[in-house]
Amino acid sequence: RPLAKAGNKTVWTGEGSTENLKEIMIGRCFNYLGTVNVDAGEKDCPNLWKAFLSAFSEKDPCKITTEDYQPFLDLAGHDIPINQSIFWSQTKGLILQYTGVTHKVMPLESTLVGYMVDGLNWCGKLSSPEPNFEACPGWKECENNSISSFWKAASEDYARRAHGEVTVMLNGSARGDTFRNNSIFAEIELGELDNARVTFVHLWIMDNIDGPDKESCDVGSVAVLERILKEKNISYSCKDNYKAAKMLQCMDKLDHPSCRLGE
Ligand code: APR
């Protein structure tokens, strides 16, 4: 619900679009194609920006659908190398650190689509084709806002491209459920994984270094996820506090008892 209306100008309470949105996205696109992933194929960066902008330009920022982003996703999409898909819920920071040091995974944020958009904010307005740099709908103001519809659409497209072995990193110290049934992972991505394309799922349940150890493999909401994988006939394994990721958490907490060498 918008806070106030002045004429036909709706005053939203969320942060406005990121300054220089267009330049950042086009610049990131050239950077991605030229230096980050030279295997992404031929793409026209200014045209990708146009397709992205068209999804929400001159529209009510609370009425943006996942379909609005399909033209952008179709143009920007590229293959994900086999065995490199990795999904997360409430472990974004750790996943991106892990991605930075290993060359074995390509999360959504390391595809062209995710790389161009990660960390940005945007919405449009009815009165002009420009993004609204003053304000955007906050997360609670409307569900079908330009940002959440984008991440839903991008996540679905990303999950469809997964093949071979995939990895899922969840947070065993999460405030709510570790496998939260209304997360994008549960609601959108998991449904796209089937045993024709996905041969194995590696589940990693990572607790925060300081705990609490709320959930673990084989119990609680993680057991629910394991049952779903069984029903889907997808083989999996589950590891609590997978060592490689734990070592990254320990980089910042060398003195913590559970980070001492040999443990
Ligand atoms: N940058 C900013 N926000 C994002 C990003 C991103 N790169 N990716 C997702 N979001 C938004 C989504 O709206 C998402 O619901 O942040 C929320 C993160 O919520 P979590 O509970 O941590 O996780 P989840 O809802 O499962 O979304 C993460 O979806 O984007 C995909 O592949 C990604 O597996 C991952 C999952």
Side-chain angles (χ1 to χ4, degrees), residues 6-256:
N8 72 353
K9 181 175 174 286
T10 308
V11 184
W12 304 109
T13 62
E15 223 177 288
S17 304
T18 305
E19 285 299 318
N20 305 307
L21 181 68
K22 174 181 178 179
E23 291 75 12
I24 292 173
M25 285 186 60
I26 295 177
R28 283 184 179 183
C29 176
F30 280 115
N31 188 36
Y32 187 86
L33 298 174
T35 71
V36 178
N37 180 5
V38 293
D39 298 323
E42 295 248 329
K43 309 280 179 196
D44 176 345
C45 294
N47 199 42
L48 290 185
W49 159 254
K50 269 193 212 155
F52 180 78
L53 180 66
S54 299
F56 60 90
S57 181
E58 288 178 286
K59 292 182 191 169
D60 179 338
C62 280
K63 290 186 181 150
I64 307 301
T65 64
T66 52
E67 290 79 27
D68 290 330
Y69 287 104
Q70 205 54 54
F72 169 71
L73 295 173
D74 289 343
L75 289 171
H78 56 78
D79 291 344
I80 295 161
I82 190 161
N83 304 338
Q84 293 199 8
S85 295
I86 184 164
F87 302 96
W88 54 270
S89 259
Q90 300 179 73
T91 51
K92 185 183 177 203
L94 191 54
I95 283 271
L96 299 189
Q97 285 179 307
Y98 181 76
T99 304
V101 294
T102 175
H103 301 285
K104 292 189 234 170
V105 292
M106 185 182 282
L108 172 57
E109 291 73 19
S110 301
T111 66
L112 178 58
V113 165
Y115 188 88
M116 284 176 71
V117 182
D118 192 20
L120 303 178
N121 214 45
W122 69 92
C123 67
K125 50 188 168 191
L126 282 164
S127 55
S128 111
E130 291 295 303
N132 185 343
F133 293 105
E134 266 101 66
C136 289
W139 283 97
K140 287 180 184 154
E141 279 174 306
C142 55
E143 195 174 321
N144 296 324
N145 64 69
S146 34
I147 299 176
S148 71
S149 291
F150 171 79
W151 287 113
K152 284 181 194 159
S155 304
E156 181 168 14
D157 184 83
Y158 173 73
R160 278 197 190 126
R161 295 172 186 274
H163 57 129
E165 301 186 12
V166 310
T167 302
V168 177
M169 189 195 282
L170 303 177
N171 189 334
S173 305
R175 242 185 266 147
D177 286 339
T178 290
F179 175 63
R180 186 169 53 87
N181 55 22
N182 62 349
S183 66
I184 290 193
F185 171 66
E187 264 195 337
I188 295 174
E189 295 177 318
L190 185 57
E192 296 296 332
L193 306 184
D194 68 66
N195 62 12
R197 285 179 300 114
V198 172
T199 54
F200 197 86
V201 175
H202 300 269
L203 298 177
W204 298 343
I205 312 302
M206 302 301 301
D207 296 327
N208 299 339
I209 286 292
D210 293 318
D213 175 9
K214 279 183 61 190
E215 293 213 42
S216 309
C217 291
D218 308 336
V219 292
S221 68
V222 183
V224 173
L225 171 56
E226 292 178 48
R227 200 171 62 232
I228 294 172
L229 292 172
K230 274 185 205 141
E231 279 162 11
K232 284 163 128 352
N233 255 315
I234 302 180
S235 319
Y236 69 90
S237 67
C238 187
K239 284 197 178 90
D240 286 306
N241 297 310
Y242 172 57
K243 188 157 180 200
K246 166 104 191 224
M247 291 179 99
L248 292 169
Q249 294 176 309
C250 282
M251 288 297 295
D252 278 338
K253 294 256 162 107
L254 286 178
D255 294 332
H256 195 278

